[in-house]
Structures are given as structure tokens and as C-alpha cells.
Amino acid sequence: MTRILAALPILVALMVGGFFLWGLNPDRDPNEIPSVLISQQVPEFDLAPVAGMNIPGLARTDLTGNPGPVVVNVFASWCVPCRAEHAVLTRMVERDGVRLMGINYKDKPEEARAWLDDLGNPYERIGSDLNGRAGIEWGISGVPETFIVSGAGTVLYRYVGPVVGPEAEAEFSTALAEARATKAPRT
Amino acid sequence: MIRKTLFATLILFILPFAVAAVEPDEILDDPVLEARARDISKDLRCVVCQNENIDSSNAGVARDLRLLVRERLIAGDTNQQALDFIQARYGDFVLLKPPFKPSTYALWLAPGVFLLFGIGVSILILSRARTRRPNEALSDSEESAVAELLAQENRSDP
């Protein structure tokens, strides 16, 4: 009994120390919000195209029944990191043959058009989310955010913030490679 | 005079806490629904300025969520249904009061467990301290042992 009592302070110190070790880990982001959407079906949404653009809009039905995974990117012309991310997304589309869909979040159509004219349009479809309601359905907290959706329409992966820089790009392409490997029995 | 100035300053310091981020165009005409919307908003965490509820956050998403809550209430949702609607999209994280379920048992029960543990250890230590108090009188067997020792001592003494 005395031994157990003597070991108590050590036990408590180990518990607290273990907690510190976990909490002080530099790779842990305390602001990270776990997404409820992962391994769920794509949420219900139906967005009209960006006015004045010759690109179709985006709806839930465009994300189900695809032969392979597609990438959904939430962007806006007013979002500065999106400009940096645009180059990365364009490269993914041109080099890796990624199918990219866009949600233009709370953006003025004319500004979105000018932005895409200036930088080029890597998106296959773009839905114009003028009031941000589709953004809420996707559970986004800001722009940019990027999702990987399986061919069958299951959300496999979510990246919050711009996919820019070697670390982020490596993480994203790993997730994409995994999504492609476990594609679907339908193909 | 000084006291009055101090009081006024204090009031000014308190003022920002009383101000909500709700903008005039968001407020519903029905005061009952509006009051319910304010109540719900206070339980929802803003996903941008975390640790602030959407009622007091100026973030764009917080405004959208406030409008959404009001829309759900007008559509006839109960408070719980409106909360569930947003929880389904943003997860448990948006609730400032986490739900009680298997994955949060540790969160809810840990304080109680620690308290019981502390009480248990205290009782143990206190009761042992009491029983360990040195006896003032010697027991019978000790008494006879002492007597024997003393007798031996006397005998070996010349």
C-alpha cells in the first residue's frame, strides 16, 4: 500500500508530462477543425455558373458517378492566397491530369471573370456561390479550401488554406494518389 | 468627482462586452424569434475567430450562420433543430458546450474522477496519520520485556 502511495506522484507527473508532450508537439495545430464531411457523401448544393462565363455551373450531381476522383476548390478573386494557389492547381490539371471543379465563393461575377481571364481557367466547372450558402453546406471556414471527392461522390480529403509550398503540395498529392488507388470498383 | 470619473471609465470598459456583432439588417421583426436566435447564436462557435460565439463575432461566416439560424427559425425549426442543422455541417466543434457521448466521456467525467481521486488520497493519508500516532503507554508484553531487561541489568551489575 505504501509503495502504491509512493508511486502516485510519479504517476501524476508522467500523466501531466505525457499531456505536455502531446500539447507542445510543433506539428499539432490547435486551430485545426475536424471536418464532419470526411467519408460522407457530397452535400446537397446546386450552383449556377459565373454570370457571363462559358463554363457550366456546379451541383452535387456533377460530383457523383465520375470515373475517378475529382478535386473541388473553393476560391475567390478577393482571396490573396488563392492567387498563389492558382498556379499550383493549374499545374496539377495540366501535368497530372487532375479534374478540377471550382466553387467561386462570395465573389462578384465580373471580378471572378477578370481574375480568371488574367490567370487562366483551370476549372472544368465553376459554381457561383454568391451568398456563401453552399460554402456552409461544405462546412468551410474561409477560402481557399480544397476537397478530394471520390468518383462515387464521397468526400475523401479536405485541405484548409492554400495548397502552396512543398509540404502542402506533398500532403495533397499523397492524398490524391491514395484516392486514385482506391478509386472505385465501378471503373 | 474622481469617483464619478472612475465609475464612467469603468462603464466604458465594460461596454465592448455588451455589444454584439448582430447587424440591424439581420434582426428579425418578431422579437420572440429574435430572442431565440440570439440564444442559439450564443451556443455556436465561430469557425474563424475560434472561442468567440457567432453572436459576437464579426467574421463573414459568423454573419452567414446568424442569418442561417434565423432562416431556420422562420422555417419553423425548434432551437434544437436549428443547432442540429449547423452541427451536421460543422461538427461538434461549433457547439460551445460539447455533447455528452462516448468520445467526450473523458472530457466530461475527468474532473469528477480527479476530484474523487483527490478526496480518496486525502482520506487515506489523513486516516493513516491518525493511526500512526505513537502510543503513550507500553503494552503488557512490552512492559514485561522492559522489566526483564532491567532485571538482567541489575543482575550483571556487581
Side-chain angles (χ1 to χ4, degrees):
Chain A
M1 191 65 209
T2 325
R3 286 211 180 150
I4 296 175
L5 269 183
L8 269 181
I10 301 165
L11 270 176
V12 170
L14 278 178
M15 265 170 64
V16 172
F19 189 74
F20 282 173
L21 215 60
W22 169 79
L24 294 173
N25 178 6
D27 292 333
R28 193 181 77 93
D29 179 9
N31 288 331
E32 196 179 282
I33 305 176
S35 178
V36 276
L37 218 53
I38 302 299
S39 46
Q40 301 282 319
Q41 279 289 299
V42 167
E44 197 59 59
F45 75 106
D46 189 356
L47 293 174
V50 177
M53 267 192 93
N54 216 1
I55 301 278
L58 185 67
R60 186 194 137 90
T61 45
D62 300 317
L63 299 174
T64 54
N66 287 314
V70 294
V71 173
V72 178
N73 175 244
V74 186
F75 73 102
S77 67
W78 47 261
C79 144
V80 180
C82 294
R83 192 169 269 271
E85 194 188 43
H86 182 275
V88 178
L89 295 174
T90 307
R91 198 170 63 235
M92 275 200 258
V93 170
E94 283 171 0
R95 200 188 56 193
D96 309 331
V98 167
R99 287 186 64 194
L100 182 66
M101 311 289 181
I103 294 177
N104 188 219
Y105 184 73
K106 288 195 182 178
D107 207 354
K108 294 195 181 101
E110 60 272 20
E111 281 171 15
R113 277 203 311 270
W115 195 79
L116 289 166
D117 278 347
D118 183 22
L119 296 171
N121 175 27
Y123 300 100
E124 203 176 304
R125 290 171 166 274
I126 302 176
S128 178
D129 187 16
L130 291 174
N131 59 7
R133 197 44 62 86
I136 290 181
E137 294 292 336
W138 281 83
I140 68 158
S141 57
V143 272
E145 282 196 20
T146 310
F147 297 84
I148 298 175
V149 178
S150 82
T154 308
V155 179
L156 299 174
Y157 178 81
R158 175 197 193 198
Y159 193 91
V160 179
V163 185
V164 171
E167 251 177 70
E169 282 170 47
E171 198 189 317
F172 192 82
S173 35
T174 309
L176 191 60
E178 265 171 38
R180 282 178 163 164
T182 56
K183 233 192 284 200
R186 63 169 66 226
T187 44
Chain B
M1 187 60 208
I2 289 176
R3 201 172 284 177
K4 258 185 192 165
T5 322
L6 269 177
F7 186 70
T9 322
L10 192 71
I11 294 290
L12 276 178
F13 273 120
I14 292 170
L15 190 66
F17 298 104
V19 176
V22 183
E23 285 163 40
D25 62 324
E26 298 173 21
I27 293 170
L28 299 174
D29 294 332
D30 183 343
V32 179
L33 279 187
E34 176 63 23
R36 279 174 59 201
R38 295 291 302 271
D39 271 351
I40 295 172
S41 301
K42 288 195 174 90
D43 288 337
L44 286 170
R45 182 200 299 270
C46 169
V47 285
V48 181
C49 339
Q50 301 172 4
N51 281 355
E52 202 172 10
N53 62 37
I54 62 169
D55 195 54
S56 50
S57 170
N58 293 309
V61 174
R63 181 186 152 87
D64 292 346
L65 286 177
R66 283 197 300 270
L67 289 171
L68 182 62
V69 164
R70 284 164 173 78
E71 224 169 80
R72 301 305 308 170
L73 289 184
I74 290 174
D77 275 15
T78 64
N79 289 15
Q80 193 54 49
Q81 279 169 331
L83 279 173
D84 289 346
F85 185 86
I86 289 177
Q87 191 194 351
R89 282 148 187 81
Y90 283 94
D92 291 345
F93 190 86
V94 285
L95 303 175
L96 282 170
K97 186 181 170 195
F100 187 71
K101 59 182 196 181
S103 62
T104 58
Y105 281 168
L107 178 72
W108 281 103
L109 300 179
V113 170
F114 279 121
L115 184 69
L116 286 178
F117 178 77
I119 292 174
V121 169
S122 317
I123 289 176
L124 207 67
I125 290 173
L126 286 177
S127 65
R128 283 162 63 96
R130 191 172 302 154
T131 51
R132 211 188 281 163
R133 197 173 293 152
N135 292 336
E136 277 152 28
L138 293 175
S139 69
D140 287 349
S141 59
E142 283 166 340
E143 204 77 69
S144 60
V146 168
E148 198 172 311
L149 279 172
L150 283 174
Q152 265 180 13
E153 191 104 322
N154 288 341
R155 231 177 294 147
S156 60
D157 246 15

